Amino acid sequence: MDSSELCAINPPEDFSTADIGRLVGYSTQQVRDLERLGVLPPAPRAANGYRRYDARHVIAARAYRALATAIGPVVARTVLPALAAGPVDDAAARIDELHADLALERRRVHEALRGLDAVLAEAGEEFDDGDAMTIGELAQALGVRASALRHWEREELVRTTRSEGSGPRIYGALAVTEARIVAALRAGGYGIPAIRSILQEVRAHGDPGDAQRILQQRLADLTRRSLALLAASGLLHDLLASTPADTGRE
């Protein structure tokens, strides 16, 4: 239901706090909290002291809910008010950045799945010196800090070799693919113990089942978040279009 349809059903400022909650799927307290946090525009008070909301508040609440699904509620509580209050160009650019972030995560998961296949295919083989990378090269390729790779090594998630005994770390083909899997799982919010357990199973049994399931679940989650972001983008468009022209928006 868009803003015009809402206004056709109810005149402006004809929604109560409970109405907003029912339309969006929130409790009345959650609606009040969203207004207090600036996610919803301030609601005027009726003569009896109760808050009165209009169609724009419904759109803002729905936009927040979709955005919270896409990027998390804590970030959404900060991002949505800025998107709604700032220039339209800034809002469009920020939405583009959010889509790009999800696309990058998706690409990393796909790379991790390919890396998992390589881990299994290369089990027991000698490292290919042509694929070897330094810690700096691998950190740059994965978009992580070198200190993260050292930590993964200490946690036995990635196995490296040393050149000339105690020389610099060398990451062969197997270490590179393991690091790729770890990076994707870490980006998905999985902890060190869970990742270690998955890698140990892969190394011991050559069974990628757990890792594959987790990565596939991560892809499904990214798809859900991408669709939620599309919904939030449409609702944000409606919100911007319904904002009075005298608010200073450009």
Side-chain angles (χ1 to χ4, degrees):
M1 182 181 297
D2 61 24
S3 57
S4 61
E5 291 172 321
L6 286 169
C7 288
I9 296 173
N10 295 281
E13 302 180 10
D14 197 38
F15 294 104
S16 67
T17 306
D19 291 334
I20 297 291
R22 280 195 301 272
L23 287 167
V24 181
Y26 284 147
S27 68
T28 55
Q29 186 57 54
Q30 285 175 305
V31 174
R32 295 189 190 102
D33 289 342
L34 291 178
E35 183 185 353
R36 176 178 56 82
L37 293 168
V39 173
L40 301 184
R45 299 274 183 162
N48 59 8
Y50 289 110
R51 294 174 175 85
R52 304 308 300 173
Y53 299 92
D54 58 28
R56 197 161 53 98
H57 294 93
V58 179
I59 298 169
R62 286 176 169 165
Y64 166 76
R65 182 155 194 164
L67 197 60
T69 299
I71 64 176
V74 175
V75 179
R77 285 197 293 269
T78 301
V79 169
L80 184 60
L83 292 177
V88 174
D89 285 350
D90 289 353
R94 184 65 178 117
I95 290 294
D96 286 346
E97 290 171 359
L98 294 173
H99 280 293
D101 290 343
L102 289 174
L104 177 60
E105 288 186 50
R106 190 187 311 278
R107 186 162 61 250
R108 285 176 174 169
V109 174
H110 279 296
E111 290 173 353
L113 284 167
R114 288 193 293 270
L116 179 57
D117 291 337
V119 168
L120 297 175
E122 296 168 8
E125 295 182 2
E126 294 293 329
F127 287 157
D128 184 347
D129 292 339
D131 292 332
M133 302 175 73
T134 66
I135 189 170
E137 291 170 339
L138 183 55
Q140 183 177 10
L142 294 177
V144 302
R145 296 177 182 272
S147 59
L149 288 172
R150 296 189 189 96
H151 178 61
W152 296 349
E153 183 182 353
R154 288 193 298 271
E155 294 290 343
E156 300 180 348
L157 303 181
V158 179
R159 298 170 293 183
T160 65
T161 58
R162 295 276 188 170
S163 61
E164 299 179 358
S166 60
R169 290 174 174 83
I170 297 297
Y171 293 81
L174 184 59
V176 168
T177 52
E178 287 180 341
R180 194 175 294 147
I181 293 170
V182 175
L185 293 175
R186 289 294 287 158
Y190 296 96
I192 295 295
I195 296 172
R196 183 188 297 113
S197 176
I198 291 167
L199 288 175
Q200 286 174 346
E201 180 175 348
V202 171
R203 290 164 182 167
H205 307 293
D207 180 5
D210 284 347
Q212 286 178 329
R213 280 191 293 274
I214 286 175
L215 291 171
Q216 291 294 347
Q217 288 169 1
R218 180 63 179 157
L219 285 177
D221 179 64
L222 288 169
T223 296
R224 178 181 62 85
R225 291 172 58 195
S226 293
L227 294 175
L229 186 55
L230 284 174
S233 300
L235 289 163
L236 180 62
H237 173 273
D238 292 342
L239 182 62
L240 299 183
S242 67
T243 300
D246 60 359
T247 58
R249 172 178 291 282
E250 299 177 2

